[in-house]
Amino acid sequence: MVAVAVVFVSCRHHVNHPYQNLTLDGYSDMMVSEYKINSTKIQEEINRQIHSDEDSLTADFRARSYYLRKKPWLWINRMGVDDRADTLLFFLDRIDELGFSKSKFKVQRIMGDLRRFRNLDFDTLDNKIDKVLGRLEYNLTKAYLRYATGQRFGFINPKYVFNKLDVHDSDSVKVSYRALFAIPMQHPKTSFFDDALRKVYNDSISEFLHAIQPQSSLYNRLLARLNSAATKVAEKPKIMVNMERCRWRLNEYPQQYTKYVLVNVPSFRLKAVDGNSVLEMRIGCGTLETKTPLLTSRIKRMDINPQWIIPRSIIEKSIINHAGDSSYFSRHRYFVRDRRTGKAVSLNRISRAVLEDRNFLVIQEGGDGNSLGRIIFRFDNSFSIYLHDTSSKGMFSREDRGVSHGCVRVERPFELAVFLLGDKDEKTIGRIHYSMHADVSSLGMNGRKDINKPDTLDKRKVIGTVPVEPEVPVFITYYTLYPNEKGEIEEFSDVYGYDKVIYRYFANYR
């Protein structure tokens, strides 16, 4: 025996059903076997759904876990299935507007079972009333959690996806990967799933599903473009993956600050914003093999004429071949330091064994010709990557500026230094400019390259380190569709192939 209360709803407003006050007593003359509900058989059908479900998303695990713990049913009660299912279907029926397939959310199956239940259209095979209700209970919960989790936090976890993308090292036992994503962001916790399920139980689905929608204005613009009749099919994947980036709930956004530095890797450009003042410049980023990691940090200080501690990969690839060649080390202004004692090794004692030993560092002296250029902008991160000047200025004229080992090379370093200063003190600015252009070779470990050339360095004007006070937020991001200063959405090449990676993971939803 079953009571059916059908209520048609909009997304926010309930419409009273003419039979909403009926109870099971009103159906006492319908005591036929097809309409008898057996809670044990409903639970058996839910269990069958669980054991046949091979989907492996977090939301899928949570749905299965809920019922395996014998928790109360959410969608069916003594009145059958009420309008909460219709509220959820209002959102699910538009899932194709996000570029996803309704079949991945069992929309047609849910609609069909709901229609069958409300029309009392049961049979003695797969569409017995208990089977229909069991399917509805499980499929509604699974679709609800999939949708709610995706819209609230993103349909993929970028930390998991991108930090298992590039193999760093591997052997027969284990594989290690390069970390590429370190932007602090929110992830769904147990409390989120518990709260989401309580919303069903308390009939607060509509408010909840409206509240979790992405808040980014860029997301809404991309959503409109995705569903525009003028958008070609081939253009939709790029729109979808950038919408996904807008779903990720980051702990910090540039728009929260008056002053910040934004690097968008695919654009190969840096934007330094201070209120209405904007400084833009070209940049060089990591190559496809040595990608610039995505992160958020604070620029803390500027070092002028920094030394460059050369990465092991460069030592092992090229420098080691010059072991014993003191002129090579002198010419490039390299020296070797024993990290255990802090002492430099004599140039004529730099052997292959020394270069292979990780206790020894190869360092390039600061000044003209240094690979870091004349200034570096430092901020905390676990990758040892920074913004810095470069001695290879010609690379800024290239279209593809993926040239570094991960650091970001800036086209206008002096202007960026002035931008970062909290107090635009003319004396400090003058010392930075002088230090960036003066011949500082006499300060190096190996002395001057040309002893016959007079030393013109005025050490009183030299400045080595300038703190950035207050610290300035820096965001290194990756958007292939992003607004320019005029608000127009610009398109950039997918230089690291991240768009393809995200879209491939969308197979769970397409």
Side-chain angles (χ1 to χ4, degrees):
M1 180 178 66
V2 63
V4 182
V6 182
V7 181
F8 298 95
V9 297
S10 70
C11 60
R12 287 187 180 275
H13 303 290
H14 294 277
V15 178
N16 291 331
H17 192 280
Y19 305 125
Q20 65 178 355
N21 296 319
L22 285 179
T23 66
L24 292 179
D25 294 336
Y27 287 82
S28 58
D29 60 339
M30 297 176 63
M31 279 287 198
V32 291
S33 60
E34 293 96 320
Y35 304 145
K36 287 183 180 178
I37 296 176
N38 186 311
S39 61
T40 300
K41 291 183 178 180
I42 292 174
Q43 189 61 51
E44 287 175 355
E45 179 58 32
I46 292 173
N47 291 340
R48 271 193 291 271
Q49 294 292 322
I50 290 172
H51 293 306
S52 64
D53 186 358
E54 297 180 351
D55 291 335
S56 58
L57 301 174
T58 300
D60 307 330
F61 282 118
R62 292 287 182 169
R64 290 196 287 269
S65 173
Y66 179 82
Y67 292 107
L68 289 172
R69 288 182 288 135
K70 309 300 181 185
K71 293 290 186 177
W73 300 336
L74 297 168
W75 307 90
I76 56 181
N77 54 36
R78 65 187 301 271
M79 293 295 292
V81 182
D82 61 25
D83 60 333
R84 292 172 299 166
D86 300 277
T87 302
L88 175 58
L89 283 170
F90 174 84
F91 290 88
L92 294 181
D93 197 34
R94 290 159 177 76
I95 202 74
D96 53 349
E97 294 177 5
L98 306 181
F100 299 144
S101 169
K102 292 181 180 181
S103 66
K104 295 293 186 177
F105 293 81
K106 300 288 184 75
V107 176
Q108 298 305 324
R109 183 55 149 164
I110 292 171
M111 285 183 167
D113 279 343
L114 195 58
R115 186 164 51 247
R116 184 178 293 278
F117 178 77
R118 289 173 173 171
N119 292 334
L120 304 179
D121 182 18
F122 307 116
D123 58 33
T124 59
L125 299 173
D126 287 337
N127 295 312
K128 293 179 180 179
I129 188 170
D130 298 321
K131 284 183 173 288
V132 170
L133 286 174
R135 287 197 302 261
L136 277 170
E137 175 68 26
Y138 183 72
N139 287 332
L140 282 166
T141 298
K142 179 179 174 180
Y144 171 66
L145 292 182
R146 272 195 164 203
Y147 177 84
T149 306
Q151 286 296 86
R152 174 61 178 81
F153 298 98
F155 288 91
I156 72 163
N157 180 347
K159 185 176 181 180
Y160 172 82
V161 170
F162 294 122
N163 290 341
K164 288 187 176 293
L165 189 61
D166 285 6
V167 174
H168 173 65
D169 197 8
S170 64
D171 55 34
S172 59
V173 178
K174 63 179 181 178
V175 177
S176 62
Y177 296 88
R178 298 182 189 278
L180 298 172
F181 188 97
I183 301 176
M185 61 181 292
Q186 301 172 29
H187 298 284
K189 298 179 180 178
T190 298
S191 57
F192 169 79
F193 292 102
D194 290 345
D195 185 51
L197 295 174
R198 272 195 301 271
K199 300 296 184 183
V200 181
Y201 201 78
N202 297 329
D203 194 12
S204 305
I205 300 174
S206 179
E207 293 82 356
F208 177 69
L209 291 181
H210 276 95
I212 63 168
Q213 299 301 317
Q215 304 300 312
S216 163
S217 60
L218 176 58
Y219 175 87
N220 291 321
R221 292 179 67 184
L222 294 174
L223 178 61
R225 178 182 286 198
L226 182 67
N227 292 282
S228 169
T231 300
K232 299 176 182 177
V233 173
E235 297 171 339
K236 292 190 174 185
K238 174 165 279 195
I239 299 173
M240 288 174 62
V241 298
N242 284 281
M243 286 173 61
E244 174 66 5
R245 293 180 176 112
C246 295
R247 291 188 186 101
W248 300 338
R249 302 301 174 98
L250 311 182
N251 291 0
E252 295 180 282
Y253 294 91
Q255 295 77 13
Q256 293 175 234
Y257 299 95
T258 301
K259 186 174 183 178
Y260 61 88
V261 173
L262 175 67
V263 171
N264 184 27
V265 172
S267 71
F268 290 122
R269 295 191 68 82
L270 175 151
K271 182 165 67 172
V273 177
D274 188 359
N276 294 324
S277 174
V278 180
L279 171 69
E280 287 197 69
M281 65 189 71
R282 294 187 169 203
I283 58 170
C285 295
T287 67
L288 187 60
E289 292 73 28
T290 55
K291 300 177 179 69
T292 295
L294 309 184
L295 57 84
T296 301
S297 189
R298 298 280 193 282
I299 299 177
K300 303 179 106 176
R301 76 174 196 267
M302 303 176 271
D303 291 339
I304 298 89
N305 295 308
Q307 293 181 337
W308 179 39
I309 299 176
I310 301 173
R312 292 299 311 178
S313 58
I314 297 177
I315 295 173
E316 293 166 0
K317 184 178 180 180
S318 59
I319 294 179
I320 200 167
N321 298 322
H322 298 278
D325 184 356
S326 60
S327 64
Y328 169 83
F329 285 84
S330 178
R331 189 166 60 252
H332 289 83
R333 306 185 70 229
Y334 294 160
F335 67 94
V336 175
R337 176 184 291 153
D338 188 332
R339 65 165 76 222
R340 295 164 298 188
T341 65
K343 295 181 179 179
V345 177
S346 174
L347 291 183
N348 57 19
R349 297 185 62 186
I350 301 175
S351 64
R352 189 178 188 89
V354 167
L355 296 176
E356 288 175 342
D357 190 336
R358 291 178 177 267
N359 287 312
F360 293 92
L361 301 174
V362 179
I363 303 171
Q364 185 179 36
E365 294 176 1
D368 192 35
N370 185 283
S371 294
L372 297 178
R374 303 300 292 266
I375 188 169
I376 188 170
F377 307 91
R378 298 193 185 274
F379 45 87
D380 292 341
N381 68 93
S382 58
F383 308 100
S384 297
I385 68 117
Y386 308 98
L387 310 181
H388 64 78
D389 183 21
T390 179
S391 57
S392 303
K393 307 289 188 182
M395 50 81 51
F396 292 114
S397 63
R398 294 169 47 177
E399 193 68 27
D400 179 1
R401 295 190 289 280
V403 294
S404 78
H405 285 82
C407 283
V408 177
R409 304 177 185 179
V410 298
E411 181 183 28
R412 300 161 63 187
F414 176 70
E415 288 90 333
L416 182 58
V418 174
F419 166 87
L420 291 171
L421 291 173
D423 178 13
K424 311 294 187 195
D425 176 65
E426 291 298 329
K427 183 177 180 181
T428 301
I429 293 172
R431 292 182 70 189
I432 292 173
H433 187 273
Y434 178 81
S435 300
M436 287 180 62
H437 294 85
D439 179 2
V440 295
S441 59
S442 60
L443 302 178
M445 293 288 297
N446 296 325
R448 298 183 54 76
K449 289 184 291 184
D450 185 356
I451 59 175
N452 296 316
K453 186 177 179 181
D455 183 2
T456 59
L457 182 65
D458 185 346
K459 294 182 180 179
R460 295 171 301 175
K461 294 182 180 180
V462 174
I463 190 168
T465 295
V466 180
V468 175
E469 297 175 341
E471 297 173 358
V472 176
V474 57
F475 300 86
I476 301 181
T477 62
Y478 193 102
Y479 281 87
T480 52
L481 291 172
Y482 202 77
N484 60 21
E485 282 305 299
K486 298 178 181 177
E488 303 163 337
I489 295 179
E490 288 189 274
E491 180 176 347
F492 307 107
S493 297
D494 183 20
V495 293
Y496 290 164
Y498 288 171
D499 282 8
K500 295 182 180 67
V501 172
I502 295 173
Y503 195 69
R504 188 164 64 244
Y505 272 83
F506 278 169
N508 291 309
Y509 305 100
R510 289 190 288 111

